Amino acid sequence: MPKIVLGVCGSIAAYRAADLARDLMRAGCEVRVCLTDSAQKFVTPILFETLTGNPCLIDTFDEPERGRMAHLDWARQADLLLIAPASANTINKLANGIGEDMLTTIALAFEGPMMLAPAMNPAMYQHPETQASLNNLVEHGATLIEPTEGDVVAGESGQGKLAGNAEIVGTALALLNRSNLLAGKRVLITSGPTQEPIDSVRFLSNRSSGKMGSALAQAALLMGAEVKVIAGPSMAIYPRNAHVIEVRTAEEMHKAALAELSSCDLAIGAAAVADYRPSNPQEGKIRRSDDAISLDLVPNPDIIAELAKSGKRTVGFAAEPSTDLTVAIAKIQRKGLYAIAHNDVSNRGIGFESDKNQITLIRADGVQETSPLASKLLVALWLLERIAE
Ligand SMILES: Cc1cc2nc3c(=O)[nH]c(=O)nc-3n(C[C@H](O)[C@H](O)[C@H](O)COP(=O)(O)O)c2cc1C
């Protein structure tokens, strides 16, 4: 039975942790709860002890079993550390390695996957320190379940509501049930957009956020892989355990991908590579005039097709403006891919820029399967399970 330590912080949303503990138990997990001091202003240990049948930890020096050093004991036994709701205060402490209460001390001693589901006032969430801490924790491998937008307390509205239990539980289960199919494998991922210079200050690009590539990197690491990412310019945060090679243009991405190809077992092309680039980017700035100008575009290298040519298992992404799979299927043959993930980017709720995705995986042998509509991390885990075998 997978063991979860559920950390609860001082937030109005602390009451939701009771249901969360129940939902996780219903899903077959053993749950142990650690409350911060402030959490006790909102909920009581007896609530969680009664629900879970396990003692609840609060103070760093609590010792339900004498001599076992509970912070180390719980950290060693847990398969997952889930902090929900995670307060701004605890997030900022975690990012700075501070262990001044039981929860942050367990987090320091814990070596497995950590999930954070923040809940707070939108200004606290957007505070530069909170955002920097979250980025830092994600870079170190934490899984962030972003708060949702809506009405929060005190008549305000914005991003700060604790995510739904279904999303938190679904992600926890996916992390707990992840396979280690990629243990010992080296995975190469291209991610994000490319920028094709028009002159020294302008470029052609696209709406790719790099979030799917980042989720694939995180998922591959969780499944035991060694990960290299060739990343086009974006705000995406990549895990620190991945080796990230930053590039700007399709030609740079092409060169980097070919250089890394020999040292990979599986290549995934999640980048939205520009098909064309201006043939003659201008030095300096093209000046405004009343005359029409035209751009001469030349084709960029087909990176994914070249990766596939090597014989390495290669999986592409097809961002298509509809649910029609015809173009994606044709690409499998034309480019020699093992499989392709069709992404309907006409649906604003998934794909480009969104935190969620849904893909249809089509393999060269004709097998098709559609993923659930879920966070990009869950979709990445779903995809890797299917292409790693
Ligand atoms: C009524 C009330 C509600 C609060 N709700 C939140 C919240 O939702 N999220 C948050 O980060 N802080 C919230 N705070 C502030 C935290 O409780 C405070 O920063 C505390 O130090 C957090 O401690 P902890 O991180 O150890 O739980 C709230 C404070 C009060 C008085």
Side-chain angles (χ1 to χ4, degrees), residues 9-12 36 38-39 42 86-90 93 101 119-120 124:
C9 300
S11 154
I12 300 284
T36 64
S38 306
F42 301 85
S87 66
N89 175 56
T90 291
K93 279 188 202 164
D101 59 10
M120 64 195 68
M124 291 170 83

Side-chain angles (χ1 to χ4, degrees), residues 40-95:
Q40 284 191 90
K41 304 272 187 198
F42 301 85
V43 287
T44 60
I46 195 146
L47 167 67
F48 291 101
E49 287 179 349
T50 315
L51 286 178
T52 64
N54 281 318
C56 194
L57 293 183
I58 298 147
D59 185 81
T60 316
F61 298 94
D62 283 346
E63 284 288 314
E65 291 176 72
R66 292 229 71 78
R68 288 185 64 106
M69 292 190 284
H71 63 289
L72 300 180
D73 194 31
W74 280 37
R76 276 190 208 114
Q77 287 188 37
D79 300 301
L80 177 75
L81 172 60
L82 162 62
I83 306 187
S87 66
N89 175 56
T90 291
I91 287 167
N92 288 320
K93 279 188 202 164
L94 291 173

Side-chain angles (χ1 to χ4, degrees), residues 16 20 23 145 163-173 378:
R16 296 231 344 247
L20 193 54
D23 288 347
I145 308 291
N165 281 9
E167 184 178 355
I168 299 172
V169 174
T171 306
L173 294 179
L378 292 198

Side-chain angles (χ1 to χ4, degrees), residues 113 174-187 215-227 266 268 377-389:
L175 292 182
L176 288 166
N177 295 329
R178 72 193 188 281
S179 74
N180 64 352
L181 279 174
L182 290 175
K185 295 268 191 303
R186 298 159 303 172
V187 177
L216 283 163
Q218 194 186 350
L221 286 168
L222 283 164
M223 287 171 64
E226 220 180 87
V227 178
L266 171 66
I268 307 174
L377 177 66
L378 292 198
V379 173
L381 284 165
W382 180 94
L383 173 68
L384 291 175
E385 295 284 347
R386 281 155 184 79
I387 60 175
E389 287 155 353

